[in-house]
Amino acid sequence: MLDKIGIAKRIAKEIKDGSYINLGIGIPTLVANYIPEKINVVLQSENGLLGIGPFPSEEQVDADLINAGKQTVSMTPGSALFSSAESFAMIRGGHVDLTILGAMEVSENGDLANWKIPGKMVKGMGGAMDLVASADNIIVAMQHTSRSGDSKLLKKCSLPITGLSCVKKIVTNMAVLDILPTGGFQLLERAPGVSVDDIKAATQGKLHVPDNVPEMTF
Amino acid sequence: MLDKIGIAKRIAKEIKDGSYINLGIGIPTLVANYIPEKINVVLQSENGLLGIGPFPSEEQVDADLINAGKQTVSMTPGSALFSSAESFAMIRGGHVDLTILGAMEVSENGDLANWKIPGKMVKGMGGAMDLVASADNIIVAMQHTSRSGDSKLLKKCSLPITGLSCVKKIVTNMAVLDILPTGGFQLLERAPGVSVDDIKAATQGKLHVPDNVPEMTF
Amino acid sequence: MIDKVVDNAATAIKDIHENAVLMLGGFGLCGIPENSIQALLKQGTKGLTCISNNAGVDDFGIGLLLKTRQVKKMISSYVGENAEFERQLLAGELEVDLLPQGTLAERIRAGGAGIPAFYTPAGYGTEVAEGKETREFNGKMHLLESWLLADYSLVKAWKGDTEGNLIYKGTARNFNPMMAAAGKITIAEVEELVPAGELDPNTIHTPGIYVQRIFQGKAYEKRIEQRTVSSPS
Amino acid sequence: MIDKVVDNAATAIKDIHENAVLMLGGFGLCGIPENSIQALLKQGTKGLTCISNNAGVDDFGIGLLLKTRQVKKMISSYVGENAEFERQLLAGELEVDLLPQGTLAERIRAGGAGIPAFYTPAGYGTEVAEGKETREFNGKMHLLESWLLADYSLVKAWKGDTEGNLIYKGTARNFNPMMAAAGKITIAEVEELVPAGELDPNTIHTPGIYVQRIFQGKAYEKRIEQRTVSSPS
């Protein structure tokens, strides 16, 4: 089983040199810490910044420079600032190469639910619906099951949808899986100490299991 | 009869303090020279400038600073530069208070034709269609008749239309006229030396003539 | 010459009437019109519809106007940091429209730009699509979304000049430029107000044509929601 | 690290193929990609569709590519300064689509911004409306217009950095920023190429994400169409 950092580390391996990436709040934000040094990427913040740098020092903290999670940040050399309309023009126009975000549920045809739980206070979708409707390449970071052991990789999402058929790849605490273009979860890798049977038991949606399912390496 | 400068001078009297104005090529451009000194206006150039100044001195000429007529210009203090999309956002969004442009024909319901003569080389509409479709207040500068004496203030335009029901006021070499909301040319003023009968003879569209038609003053 | 400069926030917002539709710039508490919000609080105008990406926190930003029950309706993309907001929403005292953030930004941009409607893929197949026209373009489904306009837009900039030209700083730009263009009356508060001609025309984010009133703000608190720092390594 | 910087215009445009759809920045001869046009001329690529507000003059700008018959189609708003253009058009050798300038600018902006279609009032009731869907909003008729995209966008900026960030100067900005966003491959030529970090992030007009290749241009002629000067008074 992976912890949150493990999930972030595994996702970091998917990142290609020269990419522009939007990282959601939570585990996705952690991914930035594990991108190999030889790889150069530019992080996009939907509130209007390309080139998110590390958290600032105490002296550098600037209330006018935050990320989409409202955390104070710094800027990398070569960064650019812009409006929210321009930011979502970038996103909607397909200029961001990779979007990494969290999920509550994913269905076997790639539907994503991550914004609303009926009966609970609705905080809003923020930029998630724009991101998932627009990005060509979406990787989801999530727990494979709920605390009570119910699968979150489903035939059909039970929660309100954020976007249809948008997820390409999923990294959970148990496995790495692709969504097949024809539907279904294609199992690619097992987390250390997790068996194929564990994954089968934890996956409600249609799971394609190849003969050989390697353990993740980092 | 007014010459071009006379038409420009008369239009200049219509300009209100604090207005943002787009001036078309030709007579409209001349209007800028006759705006009273106590009145402050900002001239918009649809290629991306608010605050057109006078022509530059020889030393100030900058190929990167032109107006929509491709003439080298200067900038007034407090000017702003922007893209063509932003420029037409301003125009389409109704932020420009007054548009002054030339016309080949105007119809009694305010249709304007000024971009194309069938059989002649078509140069294009440039920004004219955007301006006339968007501006609340359009003043047209034009000759009342063609060289052969045919009226250009018509029941219906014979030339291809630039915009429907868009003209509010017309200043010709012979008269000042409003387009009535219900249709028809409302005669307001005569040019020096021009009689009401001259104007009647030169106007093909429906002309409303009040009892008293004062001569223009400047 | 018509002067856009007003003395202070109270004068600038004086004619904002009950049930007015407002746009308020900012993302979280970053780039919000602090002075205008304080003045509205003092003026007590009620029944406001507030179009703003967020709803502030309990004791700052739009949260202040929620507490005094001056807000009738919020149009936002994310409203999660506010307990009083939650209470009013659950009690049915507050209307809330939640929109995808990019759709919100683009609808406001469309309002300023005279585009009454446009198509976006965001929200297709979700609750957001309910009651909306859909249409396929290039094999992908889209929703028809309409422009948003406001009676008054309240924006905050870093620098401004007497012509109303504005320059924002850092990520405090966010929704401010589009809102400046989408307000019938746009009221800009700035940290530094300079005479016309002092700002480089090439660096202006909001051309003055969009701004009807401008004033020099004061006592900016610029509260930080998540103060995250790197420990020196 | 993937390097966006290329040596010169010839390298930058090398893979532009026959029948490619290009966008070329500029208004008149102001802000046009002079170096890229010269390189295209030398490369001789034919069958080009050129989306550009104007078509240059007989011996400069896109006019050069017209003379060598490399242009199959022009999509522009105003094409009036070019005798060779007129000859080819009347002889049926050149296709021309004329669009209202604001519609052209907004269709390009929509292409970059992922908006497949939008409504504008410009052109309603005119020849431009032929074959287009119309719709009333708020008592006013509008046309449905679709986005424009390009295989390659050729833009010209004043300053650029190695990340592809661009700053334009004066009215040379015009169509360049929207085109930079609407090209599958955007090639930027700049008067001054600086290392990443030298440009103020707050003053950038085109964020580097839109630019795939950048090079330092040379020998800019910056021809002036209408040299108008004030006589000293």
Side-chain angles (χ1 to χ4, degrees), chain A residues 25 127 190 200 213:
Chain A
I25 296 166
R190 297 173 289 116
K200 280 182 179 169
V213 181

Side-chain angles (χ1 to χ4, degrees), chain A residues 55-56 61-66 70-72 81 84-85 88 92 116 121 123-127 130 133 161-162, chain C residues 54 77-80 86 99-103 120-122 126-127 140 169 171 173-175 178 222 226 228-230:
Chain A
F55 293 144
V61 165
D62 180 354
D64 290 329
L65 199 63
I66 63 171
K70 283 117 183 173
Q71 298 171 310
T72 47
L81 294 156
S84 300
F88 283 93
R92 210 187 301 102
K116 185 175 181 179
M121 161 74 183
K123 296 190 168 188
M125 65 293 283
D130 309 275
I161 291 293
T162 308
Chain C
N54 312 90
S77 89
Y78 191 82
V79 292
E86 185 164 352
L99 309 177
Q101 194 175 142
T103 297
T120 175
T126 76
E127 286 179 17
K140 189 170 176 173
K169 177 169 155 273
T171 56
R173 194 182 320 178
N174 54 66
F175 283 83
M178 293 84 75
K222 291 196 184 185
Q226 306 282 342
T228 44
V229 296
S230 298

Side-chain angles (χ1 to χ4, degrees), chain D residues 26-95:
Chain D
F27 181 95
L29 301 179
C30 181
I32 62 173
E34 293 187 18
N35 282 229
S36 291
I37 291 171
Q38 287 290 348
L40 270 174
L41 197 66
K42 205 167 281 180
Q43 185 166 292
T45 315
K46 294 209 186 286
L48 301 172
T49 293
C50 292
I51 302 170
S52 187
N53 189 56
N54 312 90
V57 295
D58 273 323
D59 60 347
F60 204 60
I62 295 175
L64 296 169
L65 300 172
L66 285 163
K67 205 175 265 181
T68 50
R69 310 288 298 275
Q70 292 176 248
V71 182
K72 183 174 67 182
K73 182 175 180 177
M74 287 295 315
I75 299 176
S76 303
S77 89
Y78 192 81
V79 292
E81 330 289 358
N82 196 312
E84 173 61 13
F85 180 99
E86 184 165 352
R87 194 200 60 71
Q88 290 183 23
L89 180 62
L90 295 175
E93 298 165 7
L94 182 68
E95 291 173 64

Side-chain angles (χ1 to χ4, degrees), chain A residues 157-201:
Chain A
C157 291
S158 66
L159 296 171
I161 291 293
T162 308
L164 297 175
S165 304
C166 54
V167 177
K168 293 286 181 298
K169 191 181 284 286
I170 306 166
V171 178
T172 76
N173 54 330
M174 300 179 77
V176 179
L177 313 97
D178 272 357
I179 299 286
L180 291 172
T182 51
F185 299 102
Q186 174 73 42
L187 181 59
L188 299 176
E189 297 174 21
R190 297 173 289 116
V194 176
S195 71
V196 167
D197 283 342
D198 293 339
I199 296 165
K200 280 182 179 169

